[in-house]
Amino acid sequence: MSSVQPGPFFDALECLDPTERERALMAALPQQIAHAQAQAGAYSELFAGLDARGINSRAALAQLPVTRKAELLARQQRLRASDPFGGYATIAWGLRRGARRVFQSPGGVYEPEGEASDYWRAARALFAAGLRSGDLLHNSFSYHLTPAGSMMEGGAHALGCTVFPGGVGNTELQLQAIADLRPKAFAGTPSFLRILLEKAAAMGLDVGALKTALLSGEALPPPLRDWFAERGVAAFQCLASADLGLIAYETAAREGLVLAEGLIVEIVRPGTGEPLPDGEVGELVVTSLNPDYPLIRFGTGDLSAVLPGLCPTGRSNTRIRGWMGRADQSVKVRGMFVHAAQVAEIMQRFPALGRARLLVEGEMAQDRMSLRIEAAAGADEEGLCERIAAVVREVTKLRAEVQLLALGSLPNDGRVIEDARIYA
């Protein structure tokens, strides 16, 4: 981690020339892949025979498979007796030391925390939210099982801040601590911060010392942000995960989220590993340069899109629109599951076409499935719809009507499956 510098930026990386940053990332990429091949059993198998020196560009990276959490979990479960991290981490305990803590995410996925200062890289997001050395942070993220509490505490300590480890629950006790200790900042979920502020008003407690908050774990809609502002709290959001740590963070500009340093981020078509053009909504796929947990093309399952231009604050890394939903979409039709990857497989057979969305309508037990696809005028002159319908039945084992729409008709929201059935 770079040392904290005085001034408006956490460190010099935040205002690095974008070309220089990209050059540094692409230079580090083959080294990280070679490290993963040598030290992480999962990648020794997945990248067997791969010459890491050739993976030195985004185009080359895009040829590697995407690993999604379901695959990571399955391998962890299969190898649990010998390797609790499934061969994805280079640290553990015993003979393979280096893990300071082990966390468990919902579903039984285990994640390591290494020994590096600010291991999860949260200090950058806290700095952007206004924390400085000497401030007190009230941290209400969980310290139990999952790493969110440790993530924020490590970042705050790296900034020179003091932390009150509130954790979750115990609302009245936490409010008393806020009233007594008068912290400047809060870290936690938007919903819990609202509960605290509403309860404080009902109890007549003075919590006016809280001036800023770094929020995550849930969406932060503009009306709720305004509600916090009316009560004197400037709310910032960040995108993070137990696997990767900080992914992106909000700045005072309030224009999207700036990507964290030390990550290579791609936006891919849901259900595939195919990178999408800037502006298109798709799944966030992240390659981490963390040597302890070198996740390569890890599919987060979260939807987002790249924003054009740079942050008005002067931070030069790419911006994304923030969390826009989940990419791992599926629906059950007439007893059969249909997944986003199957829609992607269908569309790969017809690469000249545009966006697609599978629509499921009707009442229970009377499902109707239609595949809506953007296409240029006159595209169906040679029976294209019939050919697509045949592929739909081959891939999903279900029948669907195919409808061709004008280019640009479908919303750019990353959704490829829509369940519009009536369940009443």
Side-chain angles (χ1 to χ4, degrees):
M1 184 195 75
S2 300
S3 60
V4 178
Q5 303 294 326
F9 302 119
F10 174 72
D11 60 19
L13 290 176
E14 290 191 349
C15 53
L16 192 67
D17 180 88
T19 303
E20 186 177 344
R21 177 185 292 106
E22 184 72 3
R23 187 183 302 115
L25 289 173
M26 292 306 110
L29 177 59
Q31 299 174 37
Q32 180 74 329
I33 291 175
H35 171 67
Q37 285 176 306
Q39 302 296 328
Y43 291 113
S44 298
E45 293 181 16
L46 189 61
F47 298 155
L50 176 71
D51 184 354
R53 294 172 298 180
I55 311 302
N56 56 6
S57 67
R58 288 182 180 267
L61 179 63
Q63 302 307 307
L64 301 182
V66 173
T67 296
R68 294 187 167 85
K69 186 162 288 193
E71 301 165 66
L72 186 150
L73 174 59
R75 188 177 169 95
Q76 281 196 2
Q77 290 173 333
R78 179 164 56 87
L79 299 178
R80 190 142 289 165
S82 60
D83 187 339
F85 302 124
Y88 289 97
T90 64
I91 58 172
W93 53 90
L95 295 178
R96 294 176 60 219
R97 298 184 180 184
R100 175 186 293 159
R101 296 186 181 92
V102 182
F103 294 100
Q104 183 193 73
S105 292
V109 177
Y110 293 98
E111 296 101 3
E113 178 183 277
E115 297 176 346
S117 172
D118 191 23
Y119 177 82
W120 308 94
R121 306 179 315 282
R124 192 177 302 281
L126 290 165
F127 186 91
L131 270 80
R132 298 295 183 269
S133 180
D135 289 337
L136 174 62
L137 171 69
H138 186 101
N139 184 12
S140 79
F141 277 114
S142 175
Y143 280 77
H144 179 62
L145 294 179
T146 63
S150 181
M151 192 180 296
M152 292 299 167
E153 181 165 296
H157 287 166
L159 286 175
C161 298
T162 302
V163 177
F164 178 83
V168 296
N170 300 302
T171 304
E172 292 188 8
L173 288 175
Q174 295 212 43
L175 278 174
Q176 191 62 56
I178 293 172
D180 291 343
L181 301 177
R182 302 185 60 77
K184 171 185 175 181
F186 171 91
T189 63
S191 58
F192 191 58
L193 177 57
R194 179 162 189 159
I195 288 170
L196 287 172
L197 295 179
E198 288 177 336
K199 187 81 170 177
M203 295 174 64
L205 287 175
D206 179 8
V207 294
L210 280 180
K211 298 301 181 185
T212 188
L214 181 61
L215 307 175
S216 192
E218 301 167 351
L220 177 61
L224 183 54
R225 184 200 300 278
D226 295 341
W227 189 90
F228 290 138
E230 290 166 3
R231 286 149 183 83
V233 180
F236 295 79
Q237 58 185 322
C238 70
L239 180 62
S241 81
D243 321 276
L244 298 157
L246 181 69
I247 298 172
Y249 61 98
E250 191 171 24
T251 73
R254 311 294 193 181
E255 295 184 12
L257 306 184
V258 177
L259 293 181
E261 304 293 334
L263 301 174
I264 300 171
V265 175
E266 304 167 89
I267 305 289
V268 309
R269 193 177 304 282
T272 77
E274 174 194 348
L276 290 169
D278 287 356
E280 290 289 308
V281 178
E283 181 184 7
L284 274 168
V285 169
V286 180
T287 295
S288 171
L289 298 181
N290 176 1
D292 296 340
Y293 203 25
L295 295 174
I296 310 296
R297 296 205 88 201
F298 184 75
T300 65
D302 293 319
L303 292 173
S304 195
V306 171
L307 285 173
L310 300 181
C311 181
T313 65
R315 290 173 173 85
S316 61
N317 210 345
T318 302
R319 296 178 302 158
I320 59 174
R321 289 174 60 182
W323 186 80
M324 300 178 66
R326 293 292 294 171
D328 43 0
Q329 304 160 34
S330 64
V331 66
K332 198 171 188 178
V333 181
R334 296 194 288 278
M336 302 284 289
F337 276 105
V338 182
H339 302 278
Q342 292 173 296
V343 178
E345 181 182 348
I346 293 163
M347 297 310 298
Q348 284 171 353
R349 310 270 188 101
F350 305 92
L353 300 178
R355 296 191 188 107
R357 176 169 295 190
L358 186 71
L359 179 67
V360 184
E361 299 174 288
E363 299 179 0
M364 291 299 292
Q366 296 180 340
D367 303 332
R368 300 189 308 276
M369 203 166 74
S370 60
L371 183 61
R372 300 179 173 184
I373 306 171
E374 294 180 356
D380 194 37
E381 292 178 357
E382 298 181 4
L384 178 61
C385 285
E386 288 77 7
R387 288 187 283 125
I388 296 173
V391 173
V392 172
R393 188 171 186 188
E394 174 192 337
V395 172
T396 68
K397 314 305 178 190
L398 296 165
R399 296 181 183 275
E401 177 189 0
V402 176
Q403 302 173 7
L404 298 185
L405 309 176
L407 294 174
S409 297
L410 293 174
N412 179 24
D413 58 7
R415 294 184 64 183
V416 294
I417 295 178
E418 180 179 352
D419 188 350
R421 288 175 290 190
I422 300 172
Y423 289 94

